[in-house]
Amino acid sequence: MSEKNLMQKIADSNKSVISGVDDLDIELWIKIYFLGREYRVPAGLTIMQALEYAGYFLTRSCGCRAGFCGACSTVYRIKGEYKLQFAMACQAEAMDGMYLVQLPFAPAEKRVYSLDHEEYSANTLLKYYPEIARCLSCNTCTKSCPQGIEVMDYINAALRGDYKQVAELSFDCIQCGLCAIRCPADIVHYNVAQLARRLYGKYGMPQVKNLNERATEIEEGVYQGEFDHLVALSNDELKKLYVEQQKNKEVY
Amino acid sequence: MAINLSREIVHSLEREKIKEIGNTNFYLCYQCGNCSAGCPCAEEMDILPHRAVRLAQLGQFSRLIESKAIWVCAACITCSVRCPRGVDIAGFMEACRQIVLRTRKVDHLSPVELDAQLLKELPQIALINNFRKFTG
Amino acid sequence: MEISYYPGCSLKTSAINFERTALSTLEELGIYALELPRWNCCGVMFSQSADNLMLQLAPARVIMEARETGRKRLLTLCSMCYNTLKRSLLFFKRNGEKLKKINAFLKLEERDFSAEGVEVIHLLTLLSELDTSNFKMKIKKIKSNLKVASYYGCLLTRPREIALDGVENPQIMEKLLEIAGFQTVNYPFKTDCCASFQVVNRRNVVKKQIRKIVTSAVRNGAEIFALSCPLCEYNLDSVQQELAQEDETFTPIPVLYISQLLSLALGQDPKLNDFSLHRIDPRPLFKEKGLL
Ligand code: SF4
Ligand code: SF4
Ligand code: SF4
Ligand code: SF4
Ligand code: FES
């Protein structure tokens, strides 16, 4: 290896693993404060990347990194502002003067129910989660939701047994728990919404003919041969098949 | 029951707090008993409304917070509209409940322990109203 | 005429027959009630803790929604919603300081809350404002000799400042029922409390009250109750049924929302009433009286 190549390699490995850019080339830096300590990090990273840049190895509060799993709930304030704010660390950009902490877990109770034996009536949600009747309509939950969901509205819909509205309003919920941590009425919103969506899916939603037909076909084993074939394939064969399929995929 | 009328007890902080939370000057009460006469829940109470007011005037707050009366009150406002001295006894009762809920942090009833069948048939407004009165 | 309408939680569930018959009665009389596009529970009972503004947020939000429709009047059917919204409106009219505080809290939502420009009105008041002769003309089942006891409960007439009629002896329901051709009875407990939310954990208090109220009404000739509160309805209906099971000398009588009776008198489709929601079935009585 020539000397130049070697130097290049060293420089490369010194580059930030996160940003892919040499620290010396970064012009814009911000300061964030994690658990009370100050860190200087490149601007433009997500909160999660910024924490990793700062040297943290995240084993909790981190999952899909794609805004779906709800593991990375983050609470922060910006220096000089009074408002407490909420974000998903994998999605939101780290900002200068952010005081932040991640919420690894929201203590919550999920009641035990059996969908098959439940009545699809107005008070079923109240039966399992009577505390929704304590809601004060303060709107704190809505303000805390990083998904921009009208949480207060779906709790109100739940109170009056409007399953369709709960299901539709709460559809984007990723169960991050931020609403439940903030609610003065101690409601665990996402569990209420989950029960409502399940009941709505089972009893309320219009049945789709094609879907039912396909489900029956699957149950009857029409596709069993193809499944068995796939399961028997080796890793390499599967990869090849996947690449082929991606190439031919319809673009919507 | 003996009543302690020491200066500290009579001039207790709670006395002023009731006035503030209940937004009513219950020192005006002259013990006519109108409130108790019309109270639909009086029969179930251990301390009648006008006596509860008198106890508060004398700073006997510990008697009030231990009482059943403040939880039996149905907030019907009958007493308040009939009081010749303009005391809002319903507000007074609420203030007593609130002080207990706020300072002791123990709810008077637990929503999740209610009977499931009852929860299914009660109108929403019964539960909402009840929880607002009995849970903090 | 169009009017904004706030239903409240129970009108969409246990009291759906109240909503249906009230709206259809109004329509027949030329009033179109337009439900607020977005609404939350009003909190059911006006907050009695003077210092806790959090409890004022729920009614405040409803008032805001009503203001945003641009229509002045907001109609309620449920007595409890009426009481809460009307008192809250009054509270903010009288307390400029508190209004400011609420606005500061709502600042981030970018909404402007004010107590001006809205008026909360109950179904009974709205109906009694109407032209009586027009109302009478529309009545189809004239002169039913059904004897009705009006039950006001607490929240239509207390406290005094929001009472929609006299505090101790209101007549507004009786007048409407008489226009519609019903007979009314006098009894002393029409504004007595049914013990309300105590039904959740002290059913015996409610039972004692219901026994007293029903016995007195029946002794004065009542065959049926008319009311406008979904909680009174539940208490009277379910507790009477229970009393009748325990004691055969107790005679339960059916409990109806006043709009159910008006809708029947107007000759509207009885299906609007959904009689299956009643524990004490009123149908036999209605058949006997020629109303069905
Ligand atoms: S935070 Fe809780 S009390 Fe406030 S609106 Fe949401 S559910 Fe209701
Ligand atoms: S509704 Fe609650 S749990 Fe769901 S995404 Fe919003 S804040 Fe998270
Ligand atoms: S508000 Fe309470 S104390 Fe007053 S009359 Fe009603 S039940 Fe009795
Ligand atoms: S009615 Fe008023 S003055 Fe009379 S005893 Fe009751 S609180 Fe006192
Ligand atoms: S890590 Fe899954 S949502 Fe952020």
Side-chain angles (χ1 to χ4, degrees):
Chain A
M1 197 183 282
S2 74
E3 192 162 313
K4 193 172 170 230
N5 278 347
L6 184 63
M7 288 313 286
Q8 186 60 46
K9 246 193 139 179
I10 294 172
D12 279 351
S13 53
N14 276 347
K15 274 183 190 173
S16 154
V17 189
I18 306 295
S19 58
V21 184
D22 193 311
D23 279 5
L24 294 173
D25 294 336
I26 297 175
E27 284 176 22
L28 295 171
W29 292 83
I30 57 168
K31 274 185 198 153
I32 62 168
Y33 305 83
F34 185 63
L35 293 172
R37 269 192 70 177
E38 181 185 303
Y39 297 95
R40 183 172 168 268
V41 299
L45 303 182
T46 65
I47 296 173
M48 191 175 277
Q49 288 168 333
L51 289 178
E52 286 172 335
Y53 182 91
Y56 285 91
F57 175 57
L58 302 175
T59 54
R60 293 304 307 262
S61 296
C62 163
C64 67
R65 292 172 182 265
F68 284 114
C69 73
C72 60
S73 356
T74 303
V75 183
Y76 67 93
R77 270 197 173 86
I78 302 276
K79 208 174 182 164
E81 290 179 14
Y82 73 91
K83 203 183 154 199
L84 190 66
Q85 301 188 67
F86 309 87
M88 304 315 294
C90 70
Q91 298 298 299
E93 193 179 317
M95 281 178 283
D96 195 34
M98 216 179 211
Y99 302 105
L100 62 104
V101 74
Q102 292 199 286
L103 191 74
F105 175 73
E109 240 271 301
K110 188 190 140 294
R111 310 275 147 75
V112 181
Y113 45 77
S114 152
L115 292 182
D116 288 332
H117 300 107
E118 213 31 79
E119 211 181 296
Y120 190 58
S121 65
N123 280 27
T124 305
L125 297 173
L126 271 169
K127 177 177 146 197
Y128 289 104
Y129 297 103
E131 63 272 24
I132 57 177
R134 281 168 32 92
C135 169
L136 305 158
S137 295
C138 69
N139 209 35
T140 308
C141 46
T142 302
K143 287 196 275 192
S144 331
C145 179
Q147 292 291 87
I149 294 170
E150 298 281 6
V151 190
M152 178 187 92
D153 292 54
Y154 84 57
I155 289 300
N156 264 285
L159 191 57
R160 47 184 196 260
D162 188 341
Y163 293 94
K164 181 160 187 272
Q165 204 180 1
V166 185
E168 282 169 3
L169 284 176
S170 72
F171 190 78
D172 287 333
C173 170
I174 53 178
Q175 315 229 333
C176 69
L178 285 169
C179 49
I181 286 295
R182 293 272 287 158
C183 175
D186 310 310
I187 292 165
V188 181
H189 315 62
Y190 49 97
N191 283 343
V192 179
Q194 186 181 57
L195 173 56
R197 285 194 303 272
R198 286 175 172 168
L199 284 167
Y200 180 63
K202 189 167 173 65
Y203 299 108
M205 238 160 80
Q207 297 282 318
V208 181
K209 189 167 153 268
N210 292 351
L211 184 67
N212 286 345
E213 281 170 12
R214 185 56 62 91
T216 329
E217 281 172 11
I218 293 173
E219 268 166 19
E220 284 167 355
V222 175
Y223 304 104
Q224 200 52 47
E226 285 166 60
F227 277 126
D228 291 344
H229 171 68
L230 279 180
V231 172
L233 288 181
S234 74
N235 265 359
D236 286 341
E237 285 166 323
L238 265 180
K239 263 187 202 154
K240 220 177 114 200
L241 207 65
Y242 178 75
V243 173
E244 278 305 306
Q245 187 238 11
Q246 289 291 309
K247 266 193 217 153
N248 301 333
K249 203 163 140 185
E250 274 179 58
V251 182
Y252 293 102
Chain B
M1 194 188 282
I3 283 188
N4 180 342
L5 292 178
S6 69
R7 206 180 155 72
E8 300 84 78
I9 290 200
V10 173
H11 295 271
S12 67
L13 260 180
E14 279 88 5
R15 210 165 61 148
E16 281 307 300
K17 243 185 170 171
I18 296 179
K19 198 173 152 197
E20 190 188 306
I21 299 177
N23 194 23
T24 185
N25 182 5
F26 60 89
Y27 300 116
L28 289 175
C29 165
Y30 54 25
Q31 292 292 299
C32 69
N34 240 347
C35 48
S36 303
C39 173
C41 304
E43 239 181 86
E44 302 286 328
M45 290 181 175
D46 50 353
I47 304 176
L48 288 172
H50 73 288
R51 291 198 182 144
V53 174
R54 184 67 186 139
L55 285 173
Q57 287 177 337
L58 298 175
Q60 304 300 309
F61 193 69
S62 58
R63 290 277 296 279
L64 281 179
I65 59 173
E66 301 301 340
S67 81
K68 187 179 159 200
I70 58 175
W71 307 108
V72 172
C73 162
C76 72
I77 328 183
T78 312
C79 47
S80 308
V81 296
R82 290 183 184 165
C83 174
R85 298 289 284 154
V87 177
D88 179 4
I89 304 101
F92 166 90
M93 290 289 193
E94 172 75 1
C96 295
R97 288 188 292 264
Q98 280 303 320
I99 296 177
V100 177
L101 291 172
R102 290 181 195 180
T103 54
R104 300 203 158 181
K105 302 198 173 72
V106 185
D107 287 346
H108 181 61
L109 111 181
S110 157
V112 292
E113 282 164 20
L114 293 172
D115 176 56
Q117 184 50 40
L118 194 65
L119 283 172
K120 286 198 84 163
E121 67 173 58
L122 283 173
Q124 278 78 356
I125 50 179
L127 293 168
I128 299 165
N129 209 344
N130 185 293
F131 296 170
R132 284 199 169 199
K133 292 270 174 279
F134 294 161
T135 67
Chain C
M1 189 181 84
E2 284 181 351
I3 186 167
S4 291
Y5 161 54
Y6 171 73
C9 309
S10 299
L11 271 285
K12 293 291 177 190
T13 51
S14 67
I16 188 83
N17 45 359
F18 186 13
E19 176 176 73
R20 287 203 195 113
T21 50
L23 298 188
S24 66
T25 299
L26 286 174
E27 225 167 275
E28 187 105 16
L29 300 167
I31 297 171
Y32 298 90
L34 307 175
E35 185 171 326
L36 292 180
R38 180 181 172 211
W39 56 267
N40 52 268
C41 163
C42 67
V44 177
M45 178 100 190
F46 176 77
S47 164
Q48 291 176 303
S49 332
D51 60 341
N52 188 348
L53 276 184
M54 192 72 121
L55 298 169
Q56 294 294 350
L57 274 168
R61 281 184 197 288
V62 176
I63 294 167
M64 263 189 299
E65 286 294 333
R67 286 189 78 228
E68 282 162 17
T69 65
R71 289 181 289 268
K72 186 162 167 46
R73 291 181 133 186
L74 179 65
L75 169 72
T76 65
L77 308 184
C78 165
S79 311
M80 292 194 141
C81 299
Y82 165 75
N83 192 291
T84 308
L85 294 174
K86 186 127 182 183
R87 287 185 78 184
S88 183
L89 201 59
L90 212 60
F91 173 81
F92 285 116
K93 276 195 177 146
R94 290 176 180 172
N95 290 287
E97 253 334 282
K98 305 256 155 108
L99 185 91
K100 263 196 209 142
K101 269 197 186 167
I102 289 274
N103 267 317
F105 182 84
L106 291 171
K107 197 162 168 232
L108 297 166
E109 296 178 34
E110 295 179 348
R111 297 182 80 176
D112 165 39
F113 174 54
S114 148
E116 302 304 325
V118 201
E119 184 196 332
V120 175
I121 180 168
H122 189 265
L123 174 74
L124 293 172
T125 314
L126 185 65
L127 285 172
S128 58
E129 278 178 0
L130 298 175
D131 176 9
T132 321
S133 53
N134 175 32
F135 198 162
K136 267 198 180 132
M137 254 165 51
K138 299 221 153 123
I139 301 293
K140 304 237 168 54
K141 312 243 171 178
I142 327 159
K143 285 285 168 234
S144 135
N145 62 352
L146 185 64
K147 295 198 193 65
V148 190
S150 304
Y151 181 63
Y152 292 82
C154 307
L155 298 171
L156 290 176
T157 61
R158 288 193 291 271
R160 207 174 296 275
E161 57 205 24
I162 60 89
L164 49 66
D165 199 359
V167 174
E168 296 290 350
N169 187 17
Q171 295 292 330
I172 189 166
M173 278 208 238
E174 281 87 342
K175 280 185 198 148
L176 285 168
L177 288 165
E178 277 160 20
I179 293 173
F182 296 99
Q183 290 184 18
T184 56
V185 299
N186 251 330
Y187 70 113
F189 299 130
K190 63 182 175 186
T191 59
D192 251 49
C193 176
C194 66
S196 184
F197 57 84
Q198 296 285 6
V199 70
V200 178
N201 57 325
R202 280 198 183 80
R203 209 176 166 90
N204 58 330
V205 186
V206 181
K207 260 166 123 170
K208 192 210 90 194
Q209 274 305 98
I210 300 289
R211 183 187 276 281
K212 182 179 91 180
I213 294 164
V214 175
T215 310
S216 159
V218 169
R219 276 198 201 143
N220 284 293
E223 295 167 303
I224 197 164
F225 277 111
L227 41 66
S228 76
C229 170
L231 181 48
C232 297
E233 196 274 343
Y234 171 81
N235 282 353
L236 273 166
D237 199 29
S238 74
V239 171
Q240 276 196 88
Q241 188 192 36
E242 205 178 311
L243 286 170
Q245 280 160 5
E246 292 165 9
D247 169 5
E248 34 188 72
T249 61
F250 180 84
T251 16
I253 60 174
V255 186
L256 276 91
Y257 295 107
I258 182 163
S259 60
Q260 292 185 277
L261 291 173
L262 299 181
S263 164
L264 278 181
L266 287 166
Q268 295 181 335
D269 186 353
K271 278 207 197 81
L272 287 168
N273 266 296
D274 197 349
F275 291 116
S276 67
L277 290 171
H278 297 262
R279 289 171 181 79
I280 302 163
D281 193 347
R283 277 168 290 196
L285 183 65
F286 285 151
K287 283 197 186 117
E288 188 192 315
K289 301 281 175 181
L291 280 159
L292 270 186

